[in-house]
Amino acid sequence: MQSYDLIVVGGSFAGLMAAKVAAARGLKVALVERKRDPGEGVRTTGIIVKEAADGIDLPPSVVRKVRGVRLYPPSLAHTDHWSPGYYFLATDTPALLRHQAAEAERAGATLLLGTRYAGHEETATGVHLPNLGLEGRFLIGADGAQSAVARHAGLDRNRRFLGGLEFELAPQVSVDQRFLHCFLDSALAPGYIAWVVPGAGVTQAGLAVRHGLRPDLNAAMARFDKVFGWGKPQVLARRSGLIPVSGILQNVSTPRAMLLGDAAGHCSPLTGGGIALAWRLGRRAGAAVADFLDGSGAHPASVIAKDAPGYGVKGMLRRVADLAPPNWMWNAVFGTSLFKAVTSRIYFHASGSTAPPPSASRGQLE
Ligand SMILES: Cc1cc2nc3c(=O)[nH]c(=O)nc-3n(C[C@H](O)[C@H](O)[C@H](O)COP(=O)(O)OP(=O)(O)OC[C@H]3O[C@@H](n4cnc5c(N)ncnc54)[C@H](O)[C@@H]3O)c2cc1C
């Protein structure tokens, strides 16, 4: 039996961050990840909001700045939105996750890749993972929206999801590189949006739909073709996944284990964004476990609960979005000042503008 202070299940945004910080604090950390390579089979678009990007050192080669948002109503008569100084980062997500894995390893964590968690037993002093021959003083389940750790520990599980599907395309020059292109259309993407992202080395085109429906990416590609005139672009890869939109889960810990990231519902029920929170709370969880195990801190789950957002308003807006307003309604409200105010709040968390970004002309790559 190999003994560790902390065992982390899941080697993605949340788990890798928690493992890195805990190892840097001097804990003996093992991270169990079922994939052989943390960058393979990525299930996210990988857009990072400015607030998250500002708090982390990312290699310039894996990110690309996008200044604003171009919104298309069903009529396709688009408007542009941006906020001075604000930006999003499109990412080479596989490379980004490999970078995070290397950082965790450099901090001293042991990465057990190609290793599947299949249950654990908890005692008064820690946990055992009998099938893997591991024991630890604490366990973090950062194994995603359909967490096996939550299931085995009898903890809360996400119940509502958006279903997302995306193509990675060869870079498309007809896509204005300054913007995330977001399509509002309740027939195409009920409950969410369809999108085209000028990514890092690829163009990403996808959509997500509300719980229980299947995304029709071919229909979305036909809609995108009307705007970008790209015919049948070369598809390089496909990404798909479930986005938890139940809100923050409540019963997420036992005395020696806790859930983190999507497993704990740490994902905006409205926008489906979870990377920023996975990093922020992952960092916090790594430090909180170190404090807890040296006897100086409270249970890590209570530390995280204090730091996690409530998502009250976003949860309410999710229920409104799930109603999928008819397209004539989208066309009618589009461009009104109320619509612009809500858009700025959602995308820029502040006041925005519909004037064009000052730099980077159409088609220019940064
Ligand atoms: C289509 C789509 C697009 C998205 N786009 C964005 C976006 O642009 N921006 C944004 O902020 N958020 C986005 N999200 C949400 C974001 O991807 C998640 O919130 C984020 O990935 C959560 O990170 P995590 O570490 O909690 O879990 P995950 O990224 O889900 O990682 C879980 C890890 O656990 C591993 N694992 C699972 N089960 C086991 C097991 N039994 N044993 C070992 N390992 C296991 C998995 O292999 C995986 O590596 C998107 C989600 C989807 C589905």
Side-chain angles (χ1 to χ4, degrees):
M1 192 68 76
Q2 290 280 322
S3 295
Y4 292 89
D5 294 314
L6 171 64
I7 297 172
V8 178
V9 180
S12 182
F13 301 101
L16 287 167
M17 182 61 85
K20 173 183 134 178
V21 171
R25 283 283 305 267
L27 297 191
K28 190 176 174 200
V29 179
L31 181 139
V32 174
E33 167 54 51
R34 68 182 170 194
K35 293 188 284 186
R36 290 187 181 283
D37 163 9
E40 85 188 21
V42 164
R43 292 170 170 268
T44 181
T45 306
I47 304 229
I48 295 169
V49 292
K50 178 179 182 296
E51 293 80 355
D54 286 346
I56 190 164
D57 238 357
L58 296 172
S61 59
V62 308
V63 295
R64 185 180 175 292
K65 258 185 195 170
V66 182
R67 295 285 175 190
V69 176
R70 178 164 286 176
L71 275 181
Y72 301 78
S75 69
L76 297 181
H78 68 257
T79 55
D80 295 338
H81 303 258
W82 70 293
S83 180
Y86 201 89
Y87 61 85
F88 305 89
L89 291 182
T91 60
D92 176 345
T93 322
L96 171 60
L97 284 168
R98 286 180 195 123
H99 167 76
Q100 260 200 266
E103 292 247 291
E105 229 168 3
R106 203 170 302 125
T110 301
L111 304 192
L112 303 172
L113 301 178
T115 306
R116 179 181 287 271
Y117 160 92
H120 70 274
E121 290 154 14
E122 185 163 334
T123 66
T125 54
V127 295
H128 297 265
L129 281 64
N131 71 316
L132 299 179
L134 299 175
E135 63 182 11
R137 296 166 66 204
F138 200 86
L139 181 136
I140 289 180
D143 54 337
Q146 294 181 297
S147 167
V149 173
R151 194 172 65 247
H152 283 286
L155 298 172
D156 278 358
R157 290 153 69 188
N158 295 296
R159 299 284 172 198
R160 295 193 67 76
F161 305 92
L162 298 173
L165 182 56
E166 176 178 289
F167 283 151
E168 272 177 39
L169 308 172
Q172 300 296 307
V173 288
S174 60
V175 175
D176 191 322
Q177 307 288 314
R178 296 171 297 172
F179 299 106
L180 304 177
H181 299 262
C182 300
F183 294 75
L184 296 166
D185 187 320
S186 292
L188 192 64
Y192 199 65
I193 55 167
W195 62 83
V196 172
V197 175
V202 292
T203 295
Q204 294 161 260
L207 79 165
V209 295
R210 75 171 174 226
H211 190 85
L213 301 178
R214 291 171 77 88
D216 183 349
L217 189 46
N218 290 331
M221 290 296 282
R223 176 63 54 90
F224 302 150
D225 186 34
K226 282 193 182 152
V227 175
F228 304 113
W230 59 25
K232 285 204 182 309
Q234 186 194 356
V235 175
L236 305 175
R238 191 174 175 275
R239 303 179 184 187
S240 66
L242 293 175
I243 306 171
V245 290
S246 322
I248 304 282
L249 302 180
Q250 296 304 313
N251 177 27
V252 292
S253 67
T254 61
R256 289 284 166 173
M258 66 177 281
L259 306 178
L260 186 69
D262 272 12
H266 295 155
C267 189
S268 164
L270 180 63
T271 65
I275 298 172
L277 206 51
W279 278 346
R280 178 156 72 80
L281 298 183
R283 204 177 283 125
R284 199 99 170 83
V289 171
D291 292 341
F292 176 66
L293 292 181
D294 76 15
S296 67
H299 191 286
S302 69
V303 175
I304 294 303
K306 285 198 187 104
D307 210 18
Y311 284 145
V313 174
K314 287 189 173 166
M316 208 174 64
L317 290 173
R318 161 60 28 217
R319 286 190 283 281
V320 174
D322 278 347
L323 295 175
N327 278 348
W328 64 261
M329 206 181 275
W330 278 132
N331 285 328
V333 299
F334 201 81
T336 61
S337 40
L338 175 65
F339 181 83
K340 284 178 191 157
V342 172
T343 300
S344 292
R345 175 62 55 191
I346 291 173
Y347 283 102
F348 307 112
H349 316 127
S351 59
S353 161
T354 48
S359 61
S361 64
R362 188 174 201 284
Q364 179 184 338
L365 293 168
E366 275 187 15

